[in-house]
Amino acid sequence: MADLYITEHGITLHRSGDSLLLKKEGVQIKELEWKNIETIQVFGYVSVSSQVLFTLLERGIELAYYNSMGNLIGQLTPPHVKNVELRMKQYELSKNEEFKLEFGKELIQGKMESCLYLLEEFGKNSEFDFRNEIQGL
């Protein structure tokens, strides 16, 4: 199951049987099976049919709307959200100081590795030599 992020203005969401259809100007651009969607995150101006809203509630799929700055405007949350056991485990781990410290370290490590990778890739197409700066990190 995955989170679906929609960032393009003018997309419309429609239901067709066991699938969610994404259309732009009336032309279908994507079809996804409901069983593969955990949440839908919408950024900007996207239209959702009432059939899609009903199906989201029926299947326990959350829908969240964000403005162009990425701030949450609001969300549609079904009465019975999926993954209750996962949420309970996350809550329990949130009380564990040792876990929080190690998890935070892993997040920072991943962020640093991603930044270094981006610098290396950017350096391949740049006149500026980033190798010394990367070594310093």
Side-chain angles (χ1 to χ4, degrees), residues 6-7 9 42-45 65-73:
I6 303 173
T7 58
H9 293 297
V42 175
F43 295 81
Y45 301 105
Y65 269 95
Y66 301 86
N67 64 20
S68 59
M69 299 298 290
N71 299 315
L72 180 66
I73 297 169

Side-chain angles (χ1 to χ4, degrees), residues 89-102:
K89 181 67 174 174
Q90 289 171 336
Y91 176 73
E92 289 300 317
L93 288 172
S94 75
K95 298 183 214 174
N96 182 328
E97 295 299 320
E98 183 178 329
F99 172 80
K100 289 192 297 188
L101 178 62
E102 291 305 313

